[in-house]
Amino acid sequence: MASGIGYRGTNRCFPFWEDFQQCYFSSTEKTRADCVPARDDYLECLHHFKEIARVRAIQTVERNNYAKNKANGTDHKIISKHASAKDDKSTVERVHKLEANVLNSHQNLNDIVEIYTIAQSTNAEAAFTAVNSLGRIYSAMWTKGLLKRTKGPQQDAAAAKVSEWLRDNYRQYTDLLRSMLGHREAPIQVTSLRLYLQMMDKEGQALGRAANNYVFPNDSYLEIIETVLNSDATSEHLVRTLVDSYLNSYDDLRLYFYRNVAKLASPDYDPFKNRGNKGARKNTVSDTFVRHAFAVMNQIRTVFSADSDASLWIAMPKTCGNEPDVVRAAAHTRAFSEAWLALMRLPLTADIYKQILLTMHKRIVPYMADAKSLMDFLSSSYEIGGSVSLLALNGLFTLMTEHNLNYPNFYEKLYALLDRNVFHVKYRARFFRLLETFLGSSHLPAYLVAAF
């Protein structure tokens, strides 16, 4: 890959991209020009504009020499032509001009169509500029209330028609961002995620102001999560950005992420319901979804606490009618539980199965709404035998000692695990450490301890 994270790690242009991205998102409109050198370095790494210009200069010299030597019959090789960067620069300037026209006057709204066309072009620099330009335009429109549905008298019919046209174009833009989430380049995926969430923030604030209450635009968020978890192109860098920059930082994004995972994992979920396809269809959960959902959930370290103020991506309105779920600890606990239970009901690979059991007693059981709901998963795991049974021991024993789980055959099955094979399994040290704990209780009869 030209940049980003590939199958063999980070490639040559990714450091330049990170420098530019960090500068761009931390800058303001006035200081954005400071990011031009970082952007030029990244684009030079990708497209070699300066190198091409140098080759063109050499070409000029070569042609002059060829013209001089042609009369003498000298064989002189001419270097092949390269595309000029002049057109790219003019296209970028055109995008900035169109953006300024749209923001300055509503009479220039048709320029959005041209910017969107450029955003779909194969010119990397121009497309990148156009996508960010559309993001700023639609952010301003959400702030001004131009994208919300209007219900007014007949004299507002023209404004309603314009608003409907803008929403159609906005939908095309979010579809473009969604397709970029599945791009093969990790930096483009991350950029799309940031822009999509920024649009969602503006949408939520606009809807909240209209409703005089907290509103989370979960339809848009569900599309983001569904695309990230189901795409084979989802990179580790995208997953790490989603977790570190958003899910571990904002309580509302984390709450609705868990809810959406439970929804997407449900067999009753219809992935085509909101896309114009009539007729319910059975949801088929892919191995890719299971792998990515676990990768994200396993990296989430933040747990909502009622004792601290909620950190929200969608800002709470100054006047809020009812207390929203995003500030209720019970809602967070229930969403966490439903997401993990939904994931455990899916067909799991052996590796994911073992990783869940390894972290069960520390990262899952303490935060469940009802820890006993894990009984079936742990009991069936304990009865499988082999290394899976060894890994299920800790979680099962935690339910028995801390949550009053009744498992009468626990020590019989524990005794059955003690054969010569236990000395050759990967988790033998963990097993013997747990065995010492299990047999250390003073309530166990002497004959039981003696049998071991």
Side-chain angles (χ1 to χ4, degrees):
M1 297 181 184
S3 65
I5 298 177
Y7 293 106
R8 299 181 181 178
T10 54
N11 287 343
R12 57 187 178 84
C13 297
F14 188 67
F16 298 100
W17 165 260
E18 283 197 313
D19 291 342
F20 169 57
Q21 187 182 49
Q22 182 179 2
C23 177
Y24 188 86
F25 284 105
S26 62
S27 64
T28 62
E29 197 68 36
K30 295 181 180 179
T31 62
R32 195 149 290 161
D34 297 339
C35 302
V36 172
R39 182 203 64 182
D40 292 344
D41 288 343
Y42 172 63
L43 294 175
E44 175 61 17
C45 181
L46 280 179
H47 306 293
H48 311 285
F49 294 134
K50 295 179 182 178
E51 180 182 349
I52 292 173
R54 177 61 177 167
V55 171
R56 286 172 58 83
I58 295 175
Q59 281 183 325
T60 302
V61 176
E62 290 286 312
R63 290 193 185 94
N64 292 336
N65 291 338
Y66 177 79
K68 293 178 181 179
N69 296 326
K70 185 176 181 180
N72 301 329
T74 305
D75 184 16
H76 198 84
K77 185 177 180 180
I78 301 180
I79 301 176
S80 61
K81 295 182 179 180
H82 288 259
S84 173
K86 185 176 181 180
D87 293 339
D88 298 345
K89 185 177 180 180
S90 62
T91 304
V92 171
E93 293 175 350
R94 174 67 176 167
V95 170
H96 289 310
K97 182 178 180 181
L98 292 172
E99 177 188 349
N101 291 341
V102 174
L103 294 176
N104 290 333
S105 174
H106 293 169
Q107 295 180 354
N108 300 317
L109 291 177
N110 285 328
D111 290 341
I112 293 176
V113 178
E114 184 175 348
I115 300 176
Y116 179 77
T117 303
I118 297 173
Q120 295 179 297
S121 67
T122 57
N123 184 327
E125 182 182 10
F128 179 82
T129 303
V131 168
N132 283 279
S133 177
L134 288 171
R136 290 188 291 271
I137 289 173
Y138 287 121
S139 294
M141 289 185 177
W142 274 118
T143 303
K144 295 176 181 178
L146 296 177
L147 289 173
K148 68 178 182 180
R149 295 185 181 276
T150 57
K151 295 181 179 180
Q154 186 65 29
Q155 58 264 28
D156 294 330
K161 189 173 182 180
V162 171
S163 179
E164 186 69 27
W165 180 84
L166 285 174
R167 284 197 302 274
D168 290 340
N169 282 273
Y170 175 72
R171 181 64 188 178
Q172 292 179 5
Y173 175 61
T174 56
D175 287 344
L176 176 62
L177 292 178
R178 186 175 181 178
S179 67
M180 289 170 60
L181 282 172
H183 197 276
R184 55 190 174 86
E185 298 287 352
I188 295 179
Q189 295 176 10
V190 172
T191 298
S192 174
L193 176 66
R194 293 187 187 278
L195 288 172
Y196 213 147
L197 288 173
Q198 287 173 9
M199 293 300 99
M200 200 183 79
D201 175 31
K202 300 299 182 182
E203 180 183 359
Q205 291 186 36
L207 296 176
R209 286 191 298 269
N212 199 27
N213 206 341
Y214 181 85
V215 178
F216 188 91
N218 194 45
D219 289 342
S220 300
Y221 192 48
L222 178 62
E223 290 185 350
I224 298 175
I225 300 305
E226 184 176 8
T227 303
V228 170
L229 298 186
N230 281 307
S231 174
D232 291 327
T234 297
S235 63
E236 293 180 9
H237 185 52
L238 178 62
V239 170
R240 190 165 60 249
T241 300
L242 175 63
V243 174
D244 295 342
S245 299
Y246 298 103
L247 299 183
N248 275 333
S249 302
Y250 299 98
D251 296 319
D252 51 351
L253 294 181
R254 186 170 60 256
L255 169 68
Y256 283 94
F257 171 80
Y258 284 135
R259 288 183 174 180
N260 289 336
V261 167
K263 180 183 292 187
L264 294 170
S266 171
D268 298 328
Y269 174 69
D270 183 5
F272 303 98
K273 183 177 180 179
N274 296 325
R275 301 177 196 169
N277 299 67
K278 296 182 179 180
R281 304 189 185 187
K282 186 177 180 180
N283 184 31
T284 302
V285 181
S286 64
D287 294 338
T288 301
F289 173 86
V290 175
R291 184 174 68 254
H292 290 153
F294 174 74
V296 174
M297 293 168 64
N298 194 45
Q299 294 181 49
I300 297 177
R301 297 290 182 266
T302 308
V303 179
F304 180 80
S305 174
D307 299 330
S308 59
D309 294 334
S311 175
L312 302 179
W313 178 253
I314 309 296
M316 187 79 68
K318 294 181 179 180
T319 57
C320 190
N322 300 320
E323 183 183 53
D325 285 348
V326 292
V327 296
R328 296 174 58 243
H332 286 266
T333 303
R334 184 169 59 253
F336 175 90
S337 304
E338 292 174 352
W340 275 108
L341 290 173
L343 183 65
M344 292 176 191
R345 295 188 190 103
L346 300 176
L348 305 175
T349 64
D351 183 56
I352 293 178
Y353 203 119
K354 292 178 180 179
Q355 288 187 59
I356 290 177
L357 292 173
L358 273 171
T359 60
M360 175 75 71
H361 64 292
K362 287 185 177 181
R363 296 182 184 172
I364 301 178
V365 174
Y367 308 110
M368 295 291 290
D370 181 11
K372 292 182 180 179
S373 58
L374 297 169
M375 180 179 64
D376 292 340
F377 179 79
L378 289 171
S379 299
S380 60
S381 301
Y382 192 49
E383 294 172 359
I384 290 177
S387 60
V388 174
S389 293
L390 299 184
L391 295 176
L393 281 174
N394 214 341
L396 194 58
F397 190 74
T398 300
L399 293 185
M400 292 173 59
T401 56
E402 298 181 11
H403 300 277
N404 300 320
L405 172 66
N406 184 21
Y407 196 88
N409 297 325
F410 177 79
Y411 283 96
E412 292 181 12
K413 293 186 178 297
L414 180 63
Y415 185 82
L417 293 175
L418 283 170
D419 56 21
R420 61 184 180 181
N421 294 325
V422 78
F423 294 98
H424 304 286
V425 297
K426 179 179 179 181
Y427 308 102
R428 58 185 179 276
R430 179 190 181 97
F431 170 73
F432 286 114
R433 187 168 59 252
L434 292 173
L435 181 63
E436 183 180 2
T437 302
F438 300 154
L439 299 178
S441 173
S442 59
H443 299 287
L444 295 178
Y447 72 87
L448 180 62
V449 179
F452 281 88

